[in-house]
């Protein structure tokens, strides 16, 4: 499920307008935006019922944020959940639905949301916390390596994964992000100008063994730094890419036997 380009641009413009209006300098603070918009909020422990939810009652809006198993209130996951719920408020169709007594889906921290309403709120949240103009200004003329993503994550108060997806979308250097689970490629995203589009096929349908991600699943080896890999171990190409080298940096989340690879040339 995807948002049309027209709709996506509308959400980006809305999010950037809200960011500039309420937090014209520095990190975007969802608490400030909520307070100045007349939205009350609280942090509580709500088990696994939701990460965030926006409710409307008697003309008032309130955001519940779940800090269950989160150590600090400024955690990037909480910030994104807060921005997501603000999206439901600032997107006219979502807010008006709540005013009419309809309920929106409770939001959960997932790599891919399940319906168009959640996609739209996630799009708003990403562009609220990482306004595109500020994001591009930050990366302007910087030579890419993984430290750029780490710096962006710190600057905007966003998770590494959210920052990576934004960089894939609008960054200044071609990269690919590969999400692998149980030794198989499950999702991938790449910049429009990333040179390789087709993964090398293996009869086992498992990750190429001579990659950093493959080494983790096969041998349990983790690497802290970016490693050099052969392009033809990851990709197939109509051109001869033997001898072409790429960088691969892996992130090892602590769930579902997952590895996220960042690949660049």
């Amino acid at each position: 499920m995807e948002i049309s380009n027209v709709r996506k641009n509308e959400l980006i413009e809305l999010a950037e307008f809200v960011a500039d209006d309420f937090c014209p300098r520095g990190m975007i603070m969802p608490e400030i935006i909520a307070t100045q918009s007349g939205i009350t909020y609280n942090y509580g422990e709500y088990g696994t019922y939701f990460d965030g939810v926006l409710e409307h009652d008697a003309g008032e809006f309130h955001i519940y944020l779940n800090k269950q198993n989160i150590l600090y209130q400024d955690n990037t996951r909480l910030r994104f959940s807060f921005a997501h719920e603000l999206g439901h408020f600032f997107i006219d169709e979502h807010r008006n639905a709540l005013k009419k007594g309809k309920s929106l889906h409770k939001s959960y921290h997932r790599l891919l949301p399940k319906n168009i309403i959640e996609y739209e709120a996630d799009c708003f949240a990403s562009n609220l916390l990482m306004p595109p103009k500020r994001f591009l200004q930050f990366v302007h003329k910087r030579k890419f390596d993984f430290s750029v993503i780490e710096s962006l994550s710190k600057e905007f108060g966003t998770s590494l994964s959210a920052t990576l997806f934004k960089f894939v979308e609008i960054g200044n250097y071609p990269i690919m992000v590969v999400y692998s689970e149980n030794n198989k490629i499950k999702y991938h995203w790449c910049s429009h100008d990333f040179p390789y589009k087709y993964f090398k096929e293996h009869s086992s349908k498992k990750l190429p063994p001579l990659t950093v991600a493959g080494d983790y699943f096969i041998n349990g080896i983790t690497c802290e730094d970016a490693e050099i890999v052969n392009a033809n171990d990851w990709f197939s190409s109509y051109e001869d890419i033997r001898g072409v080298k790429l960088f691969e940096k892996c992130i090892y989340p602590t769930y579902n036997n997952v590895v996220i690879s960042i690949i660049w040339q």
Side-chain angles (χ1 to χ4, degrees):
M1 185 180 298
E2 294 184 359
I3 308 170
S4 72
N5 287 334
V6 171
R7 179 61 168 172
K8 187 174 182 179
N9 288 335
E10 289 175 354
L11 296 172
I12 291 171
E13 289 180 9
L14 174 63
E16 195 154 33
F17 173 81
V18 172
D20 290 342
D21 194 34
F22 290 95
C23 301
R25 289 173 296 279
M27 188 180 291
I28 304 303
M29 304 302 293
E31 297 88 348
I32 291 175
I33 297 172
T35 299
Q36 293 186 5
S37 300
I39 306 167
T40 55
Y41 63 89
N42 74 282
Y43 297 91
E45 295 187 357
Y46 303 108
T48 58
Y49 290 105
F50 58 83
D51 285 332
V53 63
L54 173 68
E55 289 192 348
H56 175 264
D57 183 48
E60 304 293 330
F61 286 92
H62 185 85
I63 294 175
Y64 295 90
L65 293 157
N66 190 358
K67 64 176 183 178
Q68 189 84 26
N69 300 323
I70 293 177
L71 295 177
Y72 303 104
Q73 249 176 226
D74 62 350
N75 180 277
T76 58
R77 176 174 160 183
L78 272 176
R79 281 175 52 78
F80 196 90
S81 294
F82 205 150
H84 177 104
E85 299 311 320
L86 288 172
H88 287 317
F89 176 82
F90 282 103
I91 298 170
D92 288 341
E93 294 86 348
H94 300 197
R95 183 181 65 258
N96 291 335
L98 283 170
K99 283 184 173 181
K100 292 177 181 177
K102 298 180 181 179
S103 62
L104 303 179
H105 290 262
K106 295 180 176 66
S107 66
Y108 297 90
H109 184 71
R110 295 172 178 163
L111 183 69
L112 294 174
K114 298 296 184 182
N115 61 72
I116 194 66
I117 290 174
E118 297 302 290
Y119 267 100
E120 290 188 350
D122 269 2
C123 178
F124 178 94
S126 172
N127 289 285
L128 178 71
L129 296 177
M130 297 174 282
K133 291 176 185 175
R134 300 188 207 182
F135 193 94
L136 288 171
Q137 184 178 19
F138 188 89
V139 301
H140 184 59
K141 293 185 178 180
R142 291 195 178 202
K143 179 177 172 58
F144 182 82
D145 60 34
F146 189 69
S147 68
V148 171
I149 301 299
E150 293 175 313
S151 296
L152 284 164
S153 175
K154 183 177 180 180
E155 175 76 9
F156 292 98
T158 49
S159 68
L160 288 174
S161 57
T163 308
L164 275 168
F165 297 145
K166 179 58 65 179
F167 194 93
V168 165
E169 190 176 24
I170 67 170
N172 64 339
Y173 196 88
I175 68 169
M176 175 177 280
V177 177
V178 182
Y179 179 99
S180 303
E181 187 175 312
N182 296 320
N183 203 18
K184 293 183 179 180
I185 297 171
K186 192 166 185 181
Y187 311 110
H188 70 278
W189 303 263
C190 65
S191 310
H192 68 90
D193 50 354
F194 187 78
Y196 309 113
K197 307 297 183 186
Y198 308 105
F199 291 109
K200 188 172 183 178
E201 292 188 10
H202 292 263
S203 57
S204 64
K205 295 186 178 180
K206 293 184 177 181
L207 273 169
L210 299 179
T211 61
V212 182
D215 203 20
Y216 169 78
F217 286 113
I218 295 168
N219 301 309
I221 296 174
T222 60
C223 297
E224 293 298 320
D225 299 320
E227 301 290 327
I228 296 174
V229 295
N230 293 314
N232 64 339
D233 284 333
W234 264 111
F235 302 104
S236 296
S237 175
Y238 292 111
E239 299 178 358
D240 185 359
I241 58 173
R242 288 174 296 181
V244 176
K245 302 295 183 181
L246 302 173
F247 292 99
E248 180 183 353
K249 163 67 179 175
C250 283
I251 302 171
Y252 307 94
T254 57
Y255 57 85
N256 296 342
N257 203 21
V258 163
V259 173
I260 299 173
S261 300
I262 303 94
I263 303 170
W264 71 96
Q265 196 163 19

